[in-house]
Amino acid sequence: YASVYPRSFMKTVWNFARQRPDYLVLDPRYVFFDMSVSRWEDIRYVIEVTTLTKDEFNKRAKPAEEGSTEVLYDMGIAGKATFGALPKWLKDSEQTSAADAEKIRDTFEWITVYEVYDFTANRYYHMLEEFEEPLFEGDLPYVFVRNPFTILAFNDNLSDIGGLADSQLVERQQRRLNELDTLELRHAQASI
């Protein structure tokens, strides 16, 4: 991802089944962050876009066990949530996945949840696009790791911490080469 896009992200999460940390590589198109800082350590917020199926969402909106009062999501806001197909902006623009996988994905009803990590107030929120009130509000999820995200950028863009993709380094030169190839082809066609 860090070669194709200006940056990549890795998220460190605790795997309760294995009793060890797991490292997830995130698609940088689904992570929004505070680009006004000069160092990653000074970041004020990170927003991760996650998608949940209707079943996964409903499990978070109900009490965990019989008689339990612990509910992850606010029942009032969760009851107003609308489900639909996986948003087009979250799908790959190219047909990289198999048609069968696409059909299976389209059979589920999806909802987009924004996980907001507020490092200034040390708060963690789950938000829906349509509502200003959070589905969930609590302390940051990890006690010993304040920011579970790590940014990886191979090239500095000298204006912010966003980075620069490898393809952007050679984009202008590649465009010139393409223009020269086109001119050479046109000259060859005219000569024939």
Side-chain angles (χ1 to χ4, degrees):
Y1 282 132
S3 292
V4 177
Y5 300 106
R7 62 197 150 269
S8 178
F9 293 94
M10 187 171 60
K11 183 178 180 183
T12 306
V13 296
W14 184 256
N15 186 326
F16 288 98
R18 295 182 177 161
Q19 292 297 306
R20 66 175 176 85
D22 268 348
Y23 304 99
L24 309 173
V25 177
L26 303 176
D27 190 327
R29 296 175 294 177
Y30 312 142
V31 177
F32 307 98
F33 63 99
D34 180 14
M35 291 185 69
S36 65
V37 297
S38 59
R39 296 181 318 149
W40 182 253
E41 294 80 23
D42 300 332
I43 200 155
R44 291 185 279 268
Y45 67 87
V46 173
I47 302 170
E48 180 187 0
V49 178
T50 57
T51 53
L52 301 173
T53 63
K54 189 173 185 176
D55 276 350
E56 291 170 331
F57 183 85
N58 288 336
K59 284 179 187 173
R60 295 180 182 190
K62 293 180 183 173
E65 297 173 0
E66 294 288 329
S68 173
T69 57
E70 184 181 346
V71 177
L72 182 61
Y73 284 164
D74 181 306
M75 301 279 277
I77 296 171
K80 299 176 195 174
T82 56
F83 300 89
L86 190 69
K88 289 187 187 219
W89 66 275
L90 288 173
K91 294 181 182 179
D92 288 338
S93 58
E94 299 173 10
Q95 295 296 333
T96 56
S97 59
D100 291 339
E102 189 71 26
K103 287 178 188 174
I104 291 169
R105 192 180 337 177
D106 287 342
T107 60
F108 292 103
E109 290 185 280
W110 297 89
I111 192 161
T112 304
V113 177
Y114 298 88
E115 295 182 16
V116 180
Y117 295 78
D118 181 358
F119 300 120
T120 56
N122 292 323
R123 301 298 287 167
Y124 176 60
Y125 307 93
H126 281 205
M127 306 287 292
L128 291 177
E129 196 168 344
E130 310 90 47
F131 303 103
E132 291 185 19
E133 302 84 24
L135 272 170
F136 170 80
E137 179 179 356
D139 293 329
L140 289 173
Y142 303 108
V143 177
F144 300 111
V145 179
R146 184 169 173 256
N147 183 353
F149 298 91
T150 304
I151 189 170
L152 174 63
F154 290 137
N155 306 300
D156 191 4
N157 68 6
L158 301 178
S159 62
D160 56 40
I161 62 171
L164 193 66
D166 288 344
S167 59
Q168 289 174 302
L169 292 173
V170 296
E171 179 182 15
R172 193 174 321 141
Q173 292 86 348
Q174 186 62 47
R175 198 175 312 125
R176 284 268 157 72
L177 279 173
N178 291 344
E179 289 172 7
L180 288 172
D181 286 345
T182 302
L183 289 173
E184 186 178 349
L185 179 64
R186 287 184 182 160
H187 174 70
Q189 288 173 341
S191 296
I192 293 173

